[in-house]
Amino acid sequence: MTQPVREWVRAARRIAVLTGAGMSAESGVPTFRDAQTGLWAKYRPEDLASEDAFRADPGMVWEWYQMRRQMIAKVEPNAGHRALAAFERRHPGRLTLVTQNVDGLHQRAGSQGVLALHGNIADDKWLDEPRDCCVSQAAARGRPPRCATCGNLMRPAVVWFGETLPVAALRAAEAAAADCDLMLVVGTSGVVYPAAGLARMASGRVVVINPQPSDLDDAAHEVLRGTAATLLPQLLEEE
Ligand code: BJW
């Protein structure tokens, strides 16, 4: 089943890869639309990942991100992350890696120049435009930390619903999609835009890698029903 796609990989001059939460599932990071567990079981991630949710209850949303940060700090990149990084090392300039993930696992696996469309969960930024008082002193400790003078809050430097994506990263991702011979779409439900739209603007063949149906299956020339950590090494490693 993977042999034709292996041929496409071998022949492609430019490969774009779009990854989503399923990429990190085998590292132990729950996907975004998995049911939550424990204290968080009554919340939907979609309802926490927004500015409105943060402004309504900064402490609760901050704690959700702290829990995820601690969990991500304990996991390791999996064989799929490593296969992508190794391919990039063997073939400099041939592969553009675009991720919706905020977990930093591609970067930890050694991938360079990752286009992180939704930011990085390890970083913070000010909620409101920082004033001189915010930047002239360290944020006061707290959950979340805040400016001791004006009360501006720190928030995770991720892209929430209704927020614009980092312009340079999105432009570079669109250019990679428009100029690829092959796009691998790995572990994403394909419901969140503009990231999902990249698969629909690919100039080359599109291959979806996902154990379950996704909203991007109809854009694919081939759908491989399997997991990222199993299939990416099979597709990308040399014989
Ligand atoms: C495996 C596996 C294994 C399991 N191996 N696979 C066009 C149409 C409709 C709506 C819009 C549109 N354009 C924009 C919108 C609005 C909105 C949107 O898309 N809404 C839809 C949900 C309806 N988009 C936005 O708001 C974006 N901003 C924007 O468009 O700005 C312009 C604008 C501004 C103002 C007004 C209007 C427009 C921003 C989107 C930001 C998304 N942010 C999040 C949170 C990040 C922070 C955090 O982590 O807390 O990003 S939401 C969440 O979804 C997260 C993810 O990156 C993203 C995508 O999820 P993903 O990765 O696909 O995960 P899952 O869980 O959905 O799927 C996992 C998949 O893995 C499944 O398919 C499994 O089967 C599979 N899987 N194990 C391989 N082992």
Side-chain angles (χ1 to χ4, degrees), residues 19-27 29-34 45-46 48-50 64-65 68 72 78 99-103 117-119 121 156-165 185-196 209-215 224-230:
T19 67
M23 180 75 229
S24 300
E26 290 152 285
S27 292
V29 184
T31 67
F32 207 78
R33 287 168 182 81
D34 274 343
E46 293 91 322
L48 295 168
S50 77
W64 183 57
Y65 279 95
R68 291 174 59 202
I72 287 165
N78 63 51
T99 190
Q100 299 169 81
N101 297 345
V102 298
D103 57 32
L117 296 182
H118 294 162
I121 199 169
V158 296
V159 180
W160 283 329
F161 284 115
E163 295 182 332
T164 51
L165 278 64
V185 178
V186 187
T188 179
S189 56
V191 299
V192 174
Y193 282 77
I209 297 174
N210 197 315
Q212 303 293 331
S214 83
D215 274 21
L224 298 178
R225 284 275 171 256
T227 73
T230 308

Side-chain angles (χ1 to χ4, degrees), residues 41 123 148 190 222:
D123 300 332
E222 184 73 56

Side-chain angles (χ1 to χ4, degrees), residues 194-226:
L198 294 169
R200 302 194 181 278
M201 60 175 76
S203 54
R205 291 187 174 107
V206 175
V207 176
V208 163
I209 297 174
N210 197 315
Q212 303 293 331
S214 83
D215 274 21
L216 292 174
D217 290 0
D218 67 312
H221 297 79
E222 184 73 56
V223 176
L224 298 178
R225 284 275 171 256

